[in-house]
Amino acid sequence: MLETPALLAHSADLELVIRHVLAGLGHGIHAGRERGAGVEFSEYRAYAPGDEWRRVDWKLLARADRYYVREAERDSHVASWLVLDATASMAEPSRRVQGLSKHWFARTALACVAAIAQRQGDAFGLLVLSGGRIEFTPASRGPRQLQRVLAALQRATPSGELPDAETLRASLHFARSQSMVFAATDALDWPSPLGEALVRLRHMRHDVRMLALRTEAEAEGNIAPGHAYRDPEEGAGLHSFSRADRDAYRAALEAHFEAVRTACRRHDVPLCEARIEQPLVEVLRAWLRNPEARRP
Protein backbone atom coordinates (compact mmCIF):
# COMPACT_ATOMS: atom_id res chain seq x y z
CA MET A 1 0.00 0.00 0.00
CA LEU A 2 1.23 3.49 -0.90
CA GLU A 3 0.14 5.27 2.26
CA THR A 4 2.63 8.10 2.75
CA PRO A 5 3.98 10.97 0.61
CA ALA A 6 7.40 9.33 0.79
CA LEU A 7 6.20 6.04 -0.70
CA LEU A 8 4.07 7.80 -3.30
CA ALA A 9 6.99 10.00 -4.38
CA HIS A 10 9.23 6.98 -4.84
CA SER A 11 6.80 5.20 -7.15
CA ALA A 12 7.82 5.54 -10.80
CA ASP A 13 4.39 4.31 -11.93
CA LEU A 14 2.10 7.36 -12.19
CA GLU A 15 -0.93 5.22 -12.99
CA LEU A 16 -0.37 3.14 -9.85
CA VAL A 17 -0.25 6.32 -7.76
CA ILE A 18 -3.47 7.55 -9.42
CA ARG A 19 -5.31 4.28 -8.69
CA HIS A 20 -4.23 4.39 -5.04
CA VAL A 21 -5.18 8.03 -4.53
CA LEU A 22 -8.56 7.77 -6.28
CA ALA A 23 -9.47 4.67 -4.27
CA GLY A 24 -9.37 6.88 -1.17
CA LEU A 25 -11.08 9.89 -2.72
CA GLY A 26 -14.61 8.63 -3.23
CA HIS A 27 -16.16 11.30 -5.48
CA GLY A 28 -15.87 13.06 -8.81
CA ILE A 29 -15.33 16.57 -10.06
CA HIS A 30 -18.94 17.65 -10.48
CA ALA A 31 -22.53 16.44 -10.23
CA GLY A 32 -23.79 13.49 -12.26
CA ARG A 33 -24.15 13.72 -16.00
CA GLU A 34 -27.29 13.49 -18.16
CA ARG A 35 -28.69 9.99 -18.67
CA GLY A 36 -31.17 8.37 -21.06
CA ALA A 37 -31.74 10.06 -24.43
CA GLY A 38 -28.56 11.36 -26.02
CA VAL A 39 -26.28 8.84 -24.30
CA GLU A 40 -24.56 6.70 -26.94
CA PHE A 41 -22.17 3.78 -26.52
CA SER A 42 -18.59 4.72 -27.39
CA GLU A 43 -16.14 1.95 -26.39
CA TYR A 44 -15.15 -0.64 -23.82
CA ARG A 45 -12.32 -0.30 -21.33
CA ALA A 46 -10.97 -2.52 -18.56
CA TYR A 47 -12.67 -2.18 -15.17
CA ALA A 48 -10.80 -0.01 -12.65
CA PRO A 49 -11.41 0.31 -8.88
CA GLY A 50 -14.09 2.92 -8.28
CA ASP A 51 -16.10 2.20 -11.44
CA GLU A 52 -19.81 1.60 -10.93
CA TRP A 53 -20.77 -2.08 -11.14
CA ARG A 54 -23.89 -1.28 -13.14
CA ARG A 55 -21.64 -0.16 -16.00
CA VAL A 56 -19.96 -3.57 -16.25
CA ASP A 57 -20.92 -5.49 -19.40
CA TRP A 58 -21.88 -8.88 -17.95
CA LYS A 59 -22.33 -10.55 -21.34
CA LEU A 60 -18.80 -9.59 -22.31
CA LEU A 61 -17.59 -10.91 -18.95
CA ALA A 62 -19.09 -14.30 -19.78
CA ARG A 63 -17.27 -14.38 -23.14
CA ALA A 64 -13.92 -12.83 -22.17
CA ASP A 65 -13.71 -13.82 -18.48
CA ARG A 66 -12.64 -10.25 -17.68
CA TYR A 67 -14.48 -7.19 -16.40
CA TYR A 68 -15.09 -4.46 -18.97
CA VAL A 69 -16.93 -1.18 -18.53
CA ARG A 70 -19.07 0.45 -21.20
CA GLU A 71 -17.91 4.00 -21.96
CA ALA A 72 -20.63 6.37 -23.17
CA GLU A 73 -20.29 9.54 -25.23
CA ARG A 74 -22.43 12.21 -23.57
CA ASP A 75 -23.38 15.62 -24.80
CA SER A 76 -21.93 18.08 -22.31
CA HIS A 77 -20.89 21.69 -22.22
CA VAL A 78 -18.44 21.08 -19.36
CA ALA A 79 -14.77 20.40 -20.05
CA SER A 80 -11.96 20.25 -17.52
CA TRP A 81 -8.73 22.12 -18.21
CA LEU A 82 -5.60 21.35 -16.22
CA VAL A 83 -2.92 24.02 -15.85
CA LEU A 84 0.53 23.03 -14.57
CA ASP A 85 3.02 25.66 -13.43
CA ALA A 86 6.28 23.94 -14.39
CA THR A 87 8.56 26.93 -13.80
CA ALA A 88 11.91 26.59 -12.06
CA SER A 89 10.62 27.35 -8.56
CA MET A 90 8.36 24.29 -8.73
CA ALA A 91 11.46 22.08 -8.56
CA GLU A 92 11.83 23.02 -4.86
CA PRO A 93 12.14 19.75 -2.90
CA SER A 94 10.80 18.83 0.49
CA ARG A 95 13.46 19.09 3.18
CA ARG A 96 11.80 16.24 5.06
CA VAL A 97 10.58 13.74 2.44
CA GLN A 98 13.20 12.51 0.01
CA GLY A 99 12.11 12.46 -3.63
CA LEU A 100 9.17 14.82 -3.06
CA SER A 101 8.96 18.23 -4.76
CA LYS A 102 6.33 20.84 -5.54
CA HIS A 103 6.49 19.77 -9.20
CA TRP A 104 5.89 16.11 -8.34
CA PHE A 105 2.93 16.99 -6.13
CA ALA A 106 1.34 19.40 -8.66
CA ARG A 107 1.83 17.00 -11.58
CA THR A 108 0.39 14.06 -9.67
CA ALA A 109 -2.60 16.05 -8.39
CA LEU A 110 -3.46 17.12 -11.95
CA ALA A 111 -3.01 13.54 -13.19
CA CYS A 112 -5.60 12.45 -10.62
CA VAL A 113 -8.04 15.16 -11.79
CA ALA A 114 -7.53 13.96 -15.38
CA ALA A 115 -8.29 10.37 -14.35
CA ILE A 116 -11.49 11.47 -12.58
CA ALA A 117 -12.59 13.46 -15.63
CA GLN A 118 -11.94 10.45 -17.85
CA ARG A 119 -14.02 8.18 -15.63
CA GLN A 120 -16.89 10.69 -15.68
CA GLY A 121 -16.83 10.83 -19.46
CA ASP A 122 -15.76 14.49 -19.51
CA ALA A 123 -13.52 16.12 -22.06
CA PHE A 124 -10.25 17.36 -20.57
CA GLY A 125 -7.10 19.08 -21.78
CA LEU A 126 -3.78 20.31 -20.41
CA LEU A 127 -1.59 23.42 -20.45
CA VAL A 128 2.00 23.11 -19.19
CA LEU A 129 3.67 26.46 -18.48
CA SER A 130 7.44 26.19 -18.54
CA GLY A 131 10.44 28.11 -19.85
CA GLY A 132 8.30 31.01 -21.02
CA ARG A 133 6.28 28.71 -23.28
CA ILE A 134 3.01 26.76 -23.25
CA GLU A 135 2.68 23.09 -24.18
CA PHE A 136 -0.94 22.60 -25.13
CA THR A 137 -2.85 19.28 -25.21
CA PRO A 138 -6.30 19.85 -26.77
CA ALA A 139 -9.33 18.58 -24.86
CA SER A 140 -10.79 15.19 -25.71
CA ARG A 141 -12.41 12.20 -23.98
CA GLY A 142 -11.56 8.61 -23.26
CA PRO A 143 -8.68 6.38 -22.13
CA ARG A 144 -6.40 7.41 -25.01
CA GLN A 145 -6.76 11.06 -24.04
CA LEU A 146 -5.80 10.14 -20.48
CA GLN A 147 -2.64 8.49 -21.78
CA ARG A 148 -1.80 11.59 -23.84
CA VAL A 149 -2.23 13.87 -20.82
CA LEU A 150 -0.25 11.59 -18.50
CA ALA A 151 2.58 11.43 -21.05
CA ALA A 152 2.66 15.24 -21.27
CA LEU A 153 2.73 15.50 -17.47
CA GLN A 154 5.56 12.97 -17.27
CA ARG A 155 7.58 14.95 -19.84
CA ALA A 156 7.17 18.25 -18.00
CA THR A 157 10.39 19.48 -16.39
CA PRO A 158 10.51 22.58 -14.17
CA SER A 159 12.46 25.34 -15.89
CA GLY A 160 12.49 29.06 -16.56
CA GLU A 161 9.65 31.47 -15.93
CA LEU A 162 5.95 31.73 -16.78
CA PRO A 163 4.93 32.77 -20.30
CA ASP A 164 4.24 36.48 -20.56
CA ALA A 165 0.72 37.89 -20.23
CA GLU A 166 0.20 38.25 -23.99
CA THR A 167 1.19 34.63 -24.68
CA LEU A 168 -1.16 33.38 -21.97
CA ARG A 169 -4.01 35.62 -23.10
CA ALA A 170 -3.69 34.26 -26.64
CA SER A 171 -3.95 30.71 -25.30
CA LEU A 172 -7.37 31.26 -23.69
CA HIS A 173 -9.13 30.42 -26.95
CA PHE A 174 -9.66 26.93 -25.52
CA ALA A 175 -12.30 28.21 -23.07
CA ARG A 176 -15.07 29.18 -25.47
CA SER A 177 -17.66 26.99 -23.74
CA GLN A 178 -18.31 26.39 -20.04
CA SER A 179 -15.24 24.84 -18.43
CA MET A 180 -13.68 23.90 -15.13
CA VAL A 181 -10.09 25.09 -14.77
CA PHE A 182 -7.72 23.48 -12.25
CA ALA A 183 -4.42 25.36 -11.88
CA ALA A 184 -1.56 24.01 -9.74
CA THR A 185 1.20 26.48 -8.87
CA ASP A 186 3.29 27.74 -5.96
CA ALA A 187 1.94 31.30 -6.44
CA LEU A 188 5.33 32.77 -5.53
CA ASP A 189 5.24 34.95 -8.63
CA TRP A 190 2.20 37.10 -7.82
CA PRO A 191 0.75 39.19 -9.34
CA SER A 192 1.63 37.11 -12.38
CA PRO A 193 0.55 36.39 -15.96
CA LEU A 194 -0.97 33.14 -14.69
CA GLY A 195 -2.98 34.97 -12.04
CA GLU A 196 -4.23 37.44 -14.65
CA ALA A 197 -5.25 34.58 -16.95
CA LEU A 198 -7.16 32.79 -14.18
CA VAL A 199 -9.02 35.97 -13.24
CA ARG A 200 -9.86 36.56 -16.89
CA LEU A 201 -11.24 33.00 -17.17
CA ARG A 202 -13.35 33.53 -14.05
CA HIS A 203 -14.75 36.75 -15.50
CA MET A 204 -15.67 34.66 -18.57
CA ARG A 205 -17.83 32.63 -16.15
CA HIS A 206 -15.65 29.53 -15.99
CA ASP A 207 -15.29 27.59 -12.73
CA VAL A 208 -11.66 28.32 -11.81
CA ARG A 209 -9.89 26.66 -8.86
CA MET A 210 -6.30 27.25 -7.83
CA LEU A 211 -3.98 25.03 -5.80
CA ALA A 212 -1.09 26.91 -4.15
CA LEU A 213 1.70 24.62 -2.96
CA ARG A 214 4.53 25.18 -0.50
CA THR A 215 7.04 22.97 1.21
CA GLU A 216 7.12 22.75 4.99
CA ALA A 217 10.47 24.52 5.00
CA GLU A 218 9.10 27.38 2.89
CA ALA A 219 5.98 27.73 5.02
CA GLU A 220 7.79 27.70 8.36
CA GLY A 221 11.15 29.18 7.43
CA ASN A 222 12.88 26.02 8.61
CA ILE A 223 15.98 26.48 6.48
CA ALA A 224 19.32 25.78 8.12
CA PRO A 225 21.12 28.97 9.26
CA GLY A 226 23.87 29.93 6.84
CA HIS A 227 22.32 27.86 4.06
CA ALA A 228 22.94 29.50 0.67
CA TYR A 229 19.97 29.79 -1.66
CA ARG A 230 19.72 30.95 -5.27
CA ASP A 231 16.39 32.07 -6.73
CA PRO A 232 15.87 29.47 -9.51
CA GLU A 233 13.92 31.91 -11.69
CA GLU A 234 16.01 35.05 -11.15
CA GLY A 235 19.50 33.57 -10.71
CA ALA A 236 20.71 36.80 -9.10
CA GLY A 237 23.40 35.45 -6.81
CA LEU A 238 23.30 33.56 -3.53
CA HIS A 239 21.19 34.59 -0.54
CA SER A 240 22.09 33.51 2.99
CA PHE A 241 19.44 32.67 5.57
CA SER A 242 20.27 33.45 9.20
CA ARG A 243 18.18 33.07 12.35
CA ALA A 244 17.72 36.83 12.42
CA ASP A 245 16.13 36.69 8.97
CA ARG A 246 13.48 34.11 9.90
CA ASP A 247 10.88 36.42 11.45
CA ALA A 248 11.16 38.90 8.58
CA TYR A 249 10.88 36.04 6.10
CA ARG A 250 7.75 34.66 7.72
CA ALA A 251 6.12 38.10 7.87
CA ALA A 252 6.91 38.77 4.19
CA LEU A 253 5.64 35.33 3.16
CA GLU A 254 2.38 35.74 5.08
CA ALA A 255 1.86 39.20 3.56
CA HIS A 256 2.46 37.75 0.10
CA PHE A 257 -0.05 34.94 0.49
CA GLU A 258 -2.58 37.21 2.13
CA ALA A 259 -2.41 39.29 -1.06
CA VAL A 260 -3.00 36.10 -3.09
CA ARG A 261 -5.99 35.16 -0.89
CA THR A 262 -7.45 38.66 -1.15
CA ALA A 263 -7.19 38.65 -4.95
CA CYS A 264 -8.78 35.20 -5.18
CA ARG A 265 -11.66 36.22 -2.90
CA ARG A 266 -12.21 39.43 -4.85
CA HIS A 267 -12.52 37.54 -8.12
CA ASP A 268 -14.35 34.50 -6.71
CA VAL A 269 -11.55 32.03 -7.44
CA PRO A 270 -11.50 29.27 -4.78
CA LEU A 271 -7.99 28.90 -3.42
CA CYS A 272 -6.69 25.69 -1.83
CA GLU A 273 -3.39 26.13 0.01
CA ALA A 274 -1.39 23.03 0.86
CA ARG A 275 2.00 21.75 1.87
CA ILE A 276 3.42 19.02 -0.29
CA GLU A 277 4.12 16.88 2.79
CA GLN A 278 0.33 16.57 3.36
CA PRO A 279 -1.49 13.42 2.15
CA LEU A 280 -2.38 13.87 -1.52
CA VAL A 281 -5.88 12.45 -0.99
CA GLU A 282 -6.59 15.07 1.67
CA VAL A 283 -5.42 17.92 -0.57
CA LEU A 284 -7.38 16.66 -3.58
CA ARG A 285 -10.54 16.35 -1.54
CA ALA A 286 -10.24 19.99 -0.45
CA TRP A 287 -9.37 21.20 -3.95
CA LEU A 288 -12.27 19.39 -5.64
CA ARG A 289 -14.85 20.31 -3.03
CA ASN A 290 -17.64 22.41 -4.54
CA PRO A 291 -17.56 25.96 -3.16
CA GLU A 292 -20.68 26.64 -1.11
CA ALA A 293 -21.52 30.00 -2.65
CA ARG A 294 -20.50 30.92 -6.16
CA ARG A 295 -21.49 34.07 -7.98
CA PRO A 296 -22.53 33.70 -11.63
Side-chain angles (χ1 to χ4, degrees), residues 204-257:
M204 295 164 65
R205 297 175 181 262
H206 300 290
D207 184 344
V208 180
R209 306 182 189 186
M210 191 169 88
L211 175 63
L213 297 171
R214 282 180 275 178
T215 68
E216 265 183 13
E218 284 178 324
E220 299 176 5
N222 291 336
I223 301 174
H227 180 78
Y229 175 79
R230 186 189 301 275
D231 186 325
E233 294 182 18
E234 297 293 337
L238 294 174
H239 307 277
S240 63
F241 198 93
S242 67
R243 284 190 174 89
D245 296 325
R246 185 165 298 167
D247 290 343
Y249 165 83
R250 288 175 174 168
L253 189 70
E254 179 57 29
H256 173 82
F257 277 96

Side-chain angles (χ1 to χ4, degrees), residues 15-70:
E15 293 191 53
L16 176 62
V17 174
I18 291 171
R19 286 198 297 271
H20 169 77
V21 172
L22 295 194
L25 195 60
H27 61 77
I29 295 176
H30 57 75
R33 306 290 296 282
E34 298 88 351
R35 304 181 185 280
V39 179
E40 299 180 359
F41 171 73
S42 174
E43 61 183 338
Y44 288 106
R45 65 169 172 80
Y47 173 84
D51 287 331
E52 299 176 18
W53 282 106
R54 61 185 177 79
R55 294 175 57 198
V56 172
D57 191 307
W58 300 106
K59 291 182 180 179
L60 187 57
L61 170 64
R63 295 198 304 270
D65 197 30
R66 290 188 62 188
Y67 291 103
Y68 287 94
V69 171
R70 293 172 62 91

Side-chain angles (χ1 to χ4, degrees), residues 27-269:
H27 61 77
I29 295 176
H30 57 75
R33 306 290 296 282
E34 298 88 351
R35 304 181 185 280
V39 179
E40 299 180 359
F41 171 73
S42 174
E43 61 183 338
Y44 288 106
R45 65 169 172 80
Y47 173 84
D51 287 331
E52 299 176 18
W53 282 106
R54 61 185 177 79
R55 294 175 57 198
V56 172
D57 191 307
W58 300 106
K59 291 182 180 179
L60 187 57
L61 170 64
R63 295 198 304 270
D65 197 30
R66 290 188 62 188
Y67 291 103
Y68 287 94
V69 171
R70 293 172 62 91
E71 287 282 12
E73 197 74 43
R74 295 174 174 86
D75 293 333
S76 173
H77 297 295
V78 178
S80 293
W81 286 96
L82 318 175
V83 182
L84 174 64
D85 176 352
T87 56
S89 66
M90 293 293 285
E92 181 69 22
S94 169
R95 309 278 171 169
R96 180 168 64 84
V97 181
Q98 186 178 5
L100 184 63
S101 70
K102 289 188 288 188
H103 177 71
W104 181 94
F105 198 101
R107 182 182 67 180
T108 307
L110 288 172
C112 290
V113 176
I116 294 170
Q118 189 267 317
R119 290 186 183 185
Q120 292 186 169
D122 293 334
F124 56 99
L126 172 69
L127 285 79
V128 177
L129 315 180
S130 182
R133 298 185 300 274
I134 301 174
E135 181 181 346
F136 184 76
T137 303
S140 187
R141 293 182 173 89
R144 290 185 180 179
Q145 173 68 358
L146 180 60
Q147 293 306 312
R148 284 190 286 267
V149 167
L150 295 186
L153 288 170
Q154 290 274 29
R155 288 194 304 270
T157 302
S159 67
E161 301 178 356
L162 290 168
D164 61 35
E166 185 57 38
T167 300
L168 268 171
R169 190 179 302 114
S171 74
L172 301 187
H173 62 82
F174 70 81
R176 291 171 180 165
S177 59
Q178 183 184 4
S179 305
M180 299 186 72
V181 181
F182 295 89
T185 177
D186 58 10
L188 292 179
D189 182 10
W190 190 279
S192 71
L194 175 57
E196 292 175 16
L198 296 179
V199 167
R200 184 176 179 84
L201 286 168
R202 180 60 192 130
H203 289 173
M204 295 164 65
R205 297 175 181 262
H206 300 290
D207 184 344
V208 180
R209 306 182 189 186
M210 191 169 88
L211 175 63
L213 297 171
R214 282 180 275 178
T215 68
E216 265 183 13
E218 284 178 324
E220 299 176 5
N222 291 336
I223 301 174
H227 180 78
Y229 175 79
R230 186 189 301 275
D231 186 325
E233 294 182 18
E234 297 293 337
L238 294 174
H239 307 277
S240 63
F241 198 93
S242 67
R243 284 190 174 89
D245 296 325
R246 185 165 298 167
D247 290 343
Y249 165 83
R250 288 175 174 168
L253 189 70
E254 179 57 29
H256 173 82
F257 277 96
E258 184 55 36
V260 175
R261 295 178 200 116
T262 299
C264 287
R265 285 194 298 268
R266 182 186 308 125
H267 298 288
D268 194 27
V269 174

